[in-house]
């Protein structure tokens, strides 16, 4: 009986893209995952071993215990943010990456890192302009960091989208937060886009450099030392993160939570930060540690990838009217130069 219920639930999860790596067990031991869809909640306990390979995109589940079903009377968003009206698998999906617009500490030339600083007026304008660039590209789910400058950027971008769906930040931090933020209209729910916030997409933590002026820091410690802290792959600033450490958490989150959405044909937008996005691009384009340290990302300029047949195809930056689109470049190797997008679907 347990096996039958489990396989039925698993089929439902896979067909609606509710199954992500985060819902599976650890290498050994017990775990569970929850599905909330169309008034039904399934709590399923998993036992045994699982395997997952992000590049081959395969996974396996060995065993399941008994499960329990409870009926709900309300319309509720899935815990992983998937929308109920776009669960069909597709042969391809869009992935949009956007570095947040200019922040108030960008303007002051201060090391920001994980300090939660809002956008400037220019940053707001950059986000709105980014929205115009991607207004024709479908978006089914949005991921942002836990920092306000990335969240502001995501929200402002969607004000320009042609589909006029409303981005709704999911609050899964507690059972009360989930209950209080439920949507009880199915029609309204269909006109919303879930926004998932994740600290793993935060900017690199700059440690004792946070809040310091970049120019004054270079004068104090020397330009070469500060350059190494900022641009090396594995050398962190004092009590901070290296790009390597930032990449470990950002890429792990991408493969565990975001890539499964793309596999199911969901169109995804990520609004995040220079170093977390550099880390993800390193994974998407299979860059080396030497190539990624020369990668520069402009604020407020979107980059489009198409996920097709298990591969990420870089399409460059959607171009606004009468304006060239350049998102990122390397000073040494010449990657990402002047990639213009033609024929956005």
């Amino acid at each position: 009986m347990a096996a039958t219920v489990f396989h039925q639930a698993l089929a439902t999860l896979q067909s609606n893209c509710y199954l992500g790596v985060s819902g599976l067990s650890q290498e050994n031991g017990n775990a569970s995952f929850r599905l909330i869809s169309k008034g039904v909640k399934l709590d399923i306990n998993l036992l045994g071993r699982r395997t997952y390979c992000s590049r081959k995109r395969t996974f396996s589940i060995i065993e399941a215990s008994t499960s329990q079903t409870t009926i709900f009377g309300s319309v509720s968003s899935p815990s992983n943010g998937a929308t109920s009206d776009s669960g069909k698998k597709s042969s391809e999906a869009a992935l949009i990456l956007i570095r947040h617009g200019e922040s108030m500490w960008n303007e002051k030339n201060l090391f920001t890192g994980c300090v939660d600083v809002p956008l400037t007026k220019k940053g707001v304008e950059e986000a709105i302009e980014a929205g115009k660039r991607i207004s024709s590209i479908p978006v089914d789910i949005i991921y942002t960091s836990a920092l306000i400058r990335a969240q502001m950027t995501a929200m402002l971008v969607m004000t320009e989208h042609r589909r006029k769906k409303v981005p709704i930040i999911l609050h899964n931090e507690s059972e009360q937060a989930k209950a209080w933020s439920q949507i009880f209209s199915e029609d309204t729910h269909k006109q919303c886009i879930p926004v998932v916030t994740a600290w793993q997409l935060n900017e690199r933590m700059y440690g004792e450099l946070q809040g310091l002026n970049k120019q004054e820091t270079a004068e104090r410690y020397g330009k070469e030392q500060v350059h190494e802290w900022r641009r090396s792959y594995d050398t962190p600033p004092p009590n901070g993160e290296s790009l390597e450490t930032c990449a470990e958490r950002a890429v792990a989150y991408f493969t565990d939570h975001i890539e499964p959405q793309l596999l199911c044909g969901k169109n995804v937008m990520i609004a995040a930060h220079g170093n977390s996005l550099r880390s993800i691009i390193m994974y998407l384009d299979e860059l080396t540690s030497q190539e990624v340290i020369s990668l520069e990302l402009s604020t407020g300029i979107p980059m489009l990838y198409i996920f097709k047949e298990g591969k990420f195809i870089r399409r460059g930056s959607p171009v606004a009217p009468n304006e060239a689109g350049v998102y990122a470049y390397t000073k040494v190797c010449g990657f990402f130069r002047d990639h213009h997008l033609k024929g956005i679907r």
Side-chain angles (χ1 to χ4, degrees), residues 103-150:
S103 75
M104 295 182 73
W105 277 15
N106 290 147
E107 183 183 46
K108 295 179 180 294
N109 199 33
L110 305 181
F111 285 101
T112 309
C114 288
V115 180
D116 210 357
V117 178
L119 299 180
T120 60
K121 181 180 179 180
K122 178 183 176 182
V124 169
E125 292 170 350
E126 287 177 337
I128 292 172
E129 180 61 29
K132 294 176 181 178
R133 294 186 179 212
I134 66 161
S135 63
S136 298
I137 304 175
V139 176
D140 298 312
I141 183 169
I142 299 169
Y143 289 86
T144 79
S145 75
L147 301 175
I148 191 63
R149 57 191 185 273

Side-chain angles (χ1 to χ4, degrees), residues 154-220:
M155 296 299 186
L156 289 166
V157 162
M158 295 311 298
T159 64
E160 301 297 318
H161 204 274
R162 293 182 181 180
R163 294 194 176 185
K164 300 301 181 184
K165 289 190 174 183
V166 179
I168 302 292
I169 294 179
L170 301 183
H171 289 282
N172 295 326
E173 58 268 23
S174 68
E175 289 301 322
Q176 184 182 62
K178 291 179 185 178
W180 285 19
S181 60
Q182 287 185 84
I183 299 171
F184 291 89
S185 167
E186 191 166 353
D187 289 339
T188 300
H189 188 267
K190 290 178 180 179
Q191 295 303 312
C192 297
I193 297 178
V195 180
V196 181
T197 61
W199 71 266
Q200 293 91 335
L201 299 176
N202 280 10
E203 179 58 285
R204 176 157 69 112
M205 202 278 279
Y206 270 101
E208 295 176 15
L209 300 186
Q210 292 184 168
L212 301 184
N213 181 277
K214 294 177 182 178
Q215 180 61 38
E216 293 175 359
T217 304
E219 292 172 358
R220 178 180 176 182

Side-chain angles (χ1 to χ4, degrees), residues 58-73:
T58 60
F59 52 81
S60 60
I61 301 173
I62 302 302
E63 183 182 359
S65 68
T66 57
S67 59
Q68 182 177 356
T69 303
T70 307
I71 302 299
F72 275 106

Side-chain angles (χ1 to χ4, degrees), residues 14-18 82-83 85-95 138-141 163 258-268 307-310 345:
Q14 289 175 317
S15 65
N16 290 281
C17 294
Y18 293 119
T83 55
D85 63 339
S86 57
K88 296 182 179 179
K89 291 186 178 181
S90 173
S91 60
E92 64 179 58
L95 172 64
V139 176
D140 298 312
I141 183 169
R163 294 194 176 185
I258 300 175
E259 199 166 356
Q261 300 287 347
L262 295 163
L263 279 165
C264 292
K266 299 291 180 66
N267 302 294
V268 177
F307 181 73
K308 185 175 183 179
E309 298 178 353
R345 66 178 179 89

